[in-house]
Each structure stands twice: as C-alpha cells, then as structure tokens.
Amino acid sequence: MRLGLDSVQVRRGSRPGRAAALAVTALAVTALALVAAGCGSGGSSAGSGGAGTSTGGTSTGGTSTGGTGTGGTGTGGTGTGGTGTGGAGTGTGTAKPATRTFTDASGKQVTIPVEAKHLGLPFPYNTSDAILLGACQRIATTTTYSLHQSWVVKFCPSIAGKAAPYQTPGSWNIEQVVSSGVDLQFAPSGDAADVGKLTLAGIPTLILPDFASLDGLSAAVGFEGQALGGTAPQRARAYQQYLAGKLAAITAVTSKIPAAKRPSVLAVDSDAGGSIHVLGAGTIMNQWIGIAGGVNAARSIAGAAPTEVSVEQIQKWNPDVIVAGLPADAKAMMADPRLKGVKAVINHQVLTNPAGTIIWMYYGTEEALNIQWAAKELHPDLFPDLDLPAVTKAFYQQFFGYQLSGDQVSSILHPPS
C-alpha cells in the first residue's frame, strides 16, 4: 500500500483525496401583498404592493447572501354613491438563502450551496469525514478504495454503487462527476487540470487546507464541516474537541519519557513481497510516533512521499517496532529471512495497524484512535487504564453512529489477512 502526501494513495483501492469543492444552486423568494378593497355604487378601488429584499447571514469560512421579504400595502379607493376603504397590511418573512460565498484554502471565493446535497469526494479521507460529519446520504461520488472498504459500506450503506471517477489525478472523469449531479466538489490544490475542468463544467470547487499534520487534519475537518453546512459544523467541533483532548492526555504522559526509553519505530508502506516503502520526517506518521512516545527510525528521510528503501537499510536502522499498513505486509516482513536479525522481528513486534474506514495511521479522522493505539502498544505500562476495545467502540458510536459488537471491534483492532 502506498499513501503519501504527494499522491495520497492507499492500496486496497484507488487514490484517496486531498481537497474539496463545492457547487451552487439557487432558490427564489417572493413577497405577497394582501390587498383588501372597499366598494360602493359606481365605486372603484386600487391597491399597490411593495417589493422585498433579502439578506442572509454569514458562515465561518465564507459568507452567504439570500433574502428577507417584506410584504406590500394596499389602499382602497373611493367611488360615487359610496365609499370603500381597503385594508392595509404589512408582513415580513425571512427565507433561507440559496447560496453563499465561501473562501477556500487557496484564498479563492467560490459560490456554493447553503447545504449541498450531492458531494464529490475524491479521496478516502473525504468520504470518511463526510460520514463522520453526518453527510452519508449526500455522497454522490467517491473512490474505489472507499467502495471496497467494508466498514465504509457498513457505516454508510447508501454509498454502494456510487460512481468513482477519481482514478488518476489530472484525468478525472468529469462527465461522470456531472452526471452524478455533484453540487459540491472537493479537490487537491496541486491538481490544476481537474479543477479547471470542473470549473468549466459549472461545478465550483473548493481547495482543502493542508492535512499533513494532526493540526492540519483537525483544521481540514473543521473546514469541511463549514463547507457542508447543516449540522456538520457542530459535528466537526465535537471531533476536534475529542482529538485535542486525547492528544493532551497522551502527551501529558509521553512527553516525560526520556530519549533512552523511546523505542525506534518504523512505519512501513509497502507491497507484500515486493519493494518496501517507509514514511519519513515529513509525514503524519512521524508525528504520531513521537506523540506515542517513540522515535521514527526513518526520520532522516525528508518529505511526505513514501520512500523505497533496501532491506540493508532496515537492517541498519534495526527498529524495535515495525508498523505495517496491511496484515499481508506484516506477515511478509516476519517471514523474510533477510530481516530475521532485526529486533522487531526477533521480538515479534511487527504490528498491523488497525483499520476502519481507512487505515488508522494515515490521514483520516481515525488518527484520533491511532495515537491511543500506538501509545498503548509502545508503552503499555504507562497506560494501564486505556481500554482500546472500549475506546474503539465508543468512538464509532459517537462519531459514526454505529454500535459495534465485540467481534467487530476485534476485527478493526486486528484486521484479518
């Protein structure tokens, strides 16, 4: 599996995503004037209605304008042989604005729906975030990876059969995006080709913030929540508070661990039996390893991209712990005779990272669980009260609305081969 910030890929499916886009609809607001007219013999009456204007509110990340309507007034006339006076009335009504102006991470102002109904999600973390933010029923397009993740389908059954037009950056199937009715599209900042095509097709596109760190991940969730509208902003804030709380609780303990007692950890992004790619200093993996009380064995490698390394390099690093993205990768490394002298292999510390809507150690909301899992794995004696099965069950109940059974919790924490 490969998932780096350069391409943000995950094996077991298609490319995950990097950014976001939104589109636009319009609603009409009218004001109705109620006129009562008087009458008499030969009398006449006349009425005139007023005009309404509308102004909407503002939203974090963008502003919106819609309208309030003010009813007109009617005045009755007079006539020979009798008089009649029409009743006069005024009325004020407020209508929800149809669109708003949203400023994306690139600084561009884009007109988007107040609450988009058909979301275009080009990366696995976008789909995971949308489900967490309560927008499952609004997903119009997603990735092959997400469609093949069993937990995505369990948490969001309506996603089954959705189009997956995001196979290759720069060559998205824009026609499929359009035919799926997407009115809110996310997109990566570096993919000018697809963004240009989406704009020409009339689908406004929002560029997401960088998510290469835990702070960036939290900011991206908040950004998406504001863009989605409805209850999503509140759900995003709840997640951000959860993540911040867990970070504080873990670092309160691990920050006191001396360097000599911090195990060397190698995060592996590889194809089982093939080339081995590792994740260096410019990745979120480097950050969670440090938070959990370890040291990244590959910290000398700069940049965000998975980097191919030789078996000899792994032997030289001699990590205490290896964390693999897939069970097959962990099994292959344990069985590789060339690695039999590596401490992680000798001590059976080649671990498979848990996986839900996405593998926990990558760029998704389940990173909030991953930092807890990693801390418990690296320093079980320092976290005796951290009950990972209970924490996992509570997280998915709170944020994904799914009640996991004991067996399901176990299959997430220990993915089957």
Side-chain angles (χ1 to χ4, degrees):
M1 151 182 333
R2 304 196 184 159
L3 178 50
L5 273 185
D6 55 339
S7 60
V8 195
Q9 295 177 313
V10 184
R11 215 179 66 188
R12 280 196 284 188
S14 65
R15 285 176 162 73
R18 299 183 248 175
L22 302 165
V24 152
T25 57
L27 296 174
V29 180
T30 59
L32 180 62
L34 178 62
V35 180
C39 62
S41 176
S44 63
S45 64
S48 61
T53 60
S54 40
T55 305
T58 63
S59 71
T60 303
T63 59
S64 58
T65 57
T68 60
T70 304
T73 60
T75 304
T78 60
T80 304
T83 62
T85 303
T90 62
T92 300
T94 301
K96 189 176 181 180
T99 61
R100 55 190 169 126
T101 301
F102 195 94
T103 304
D104 73 5
S106 72
K108 182 180 180 181
Q109 291 188 326
V110 184
T111 303
I112 66 172
V114 168
E115 188 172 343
K117 301 300 183 185
H118 306 284
L119 308 177
L121 309 174
F123 301 98
Y125 89 91
N126 292 143
T127 294
S128 176
D129 291 359
I131 298 171
L132 179 142
L133 294 171
C136 164
Q137 298 295 328
R138 297 155 65 185
I139 296 174
T141 55
T142 184
T143 64
T144 301
Y145 174 92
S146 293
L147 292 174
H148 289 128
Q149 283 295 96
S150 63
W151 290 111
V152 170
V153 179
K154 282 185 175 70
F155 298 155
C156 182
S158 62
I159 201 172
K162 297 296 184 181
Y166 312 109
Q167 301 300 325
T168 306
S171 301
W172 289 356
N173 188 334
I174 305 301
E175 293 78 10
Q176 203 169 36
V177 174
V178 173
S179 65
S180 297
V182 171
D183 62 357
L184 168 58
Q185 175 68 51
F186 293 107
S189 59
D191 193 352
D194 290 320
V195 171
K197 292 174 187 176
L198 288 163
T199 302
L200 287 175
I203 302 177
T205 300
L206 293 181
I207 305 302
L208 276 173
D210 174 36
F211 54 94
S213 66
L214 286 169
D215 284 345
L217 185 154
S218 180
V221 172
F223 181 94
E224 289 171 310
Q226 292 296 333
L228 294 179
T231 64
Q234 291 76 24
R235 296 171 74 107
R237 282 193 292 272
Y239 172 78
Q240 290 171 322
Q241 291 167 0
Y242 178 92
L243 175 61
K246 297 305 179 184
L247 277 169
I250 291 169
T251 55
V253 176
T254 59
S255 63
K256 300 174 184 177
I257 301 173
K261 292 188 177 181
R262 289 177 173 263
S264 172
V265 181
L266 184 64
V268 174
D269 186 57
S270 66
D271 292 328
S275 59
I276 298 175
H277 290 72
V278 300
L279 300 147
T283 67
I284 203 169
M285 291 73 178
N286 188 71
Q287 188 176 16
W288 66 251
I289 289 171
I291 289 166
V295 177
N296 186 3
R299 61 191 180 279
S300 60
I301 296 177
T307 302
E308 184 175 355
V309 297
S310 66
V311 169
E312 290 73 24
Q313 179 62 69
I314 295 176
Q315 291 171 337
K316 183 178 179 180
W317 282 329
N318 196 21
D320 296 299
V321 179
I322 295 174
V323 180
L326 297 174
D329 294 335
K331 185 176 180 180
M333 297 190 79
M334 281 294 297
D336 191 333
R338 299 170 299 171
L339 297 175
K340 66 181 180 179
V342 173
K343 285 186 287 186
V345 175
I346 293 171
N347 297 321
H348 296 275
Q349 287 299 297
V350 180
L351 310 176
T352 301
N353 194 233
T357 62
I358 193 170
I359 295 172
W360 283 9
M361 69 178 177
Y362 289 106
Y363 307 89
T365 53
E366 285 145 308
E367 187 65 58
L369 288 171
N370 186 60
I371 57 175
Q372 299 177 77
W373 171 84
K376 181 76 171 184
E377 288 287 351
L378 298 185
H379 300 284
D381 55 322
L382 298 181
F383 296 93
D385 299 324
L386 179 52
D387 185 339
L388 283 172
V391 166
T392 300
K393 187 171 185 177
F395 179 88
Y396 287 107
Q397 174 65 51
Q398 178 180 355
F399 294 108
F400 289 87
Y402 193 93
Q403 185 72 38
L404 294 168
S405 69
D407 287 344
Q408 288 176 323
V409 169
S410 180
S411 69
I412 287 175
L413 290 172
H414 308 285
S417 299

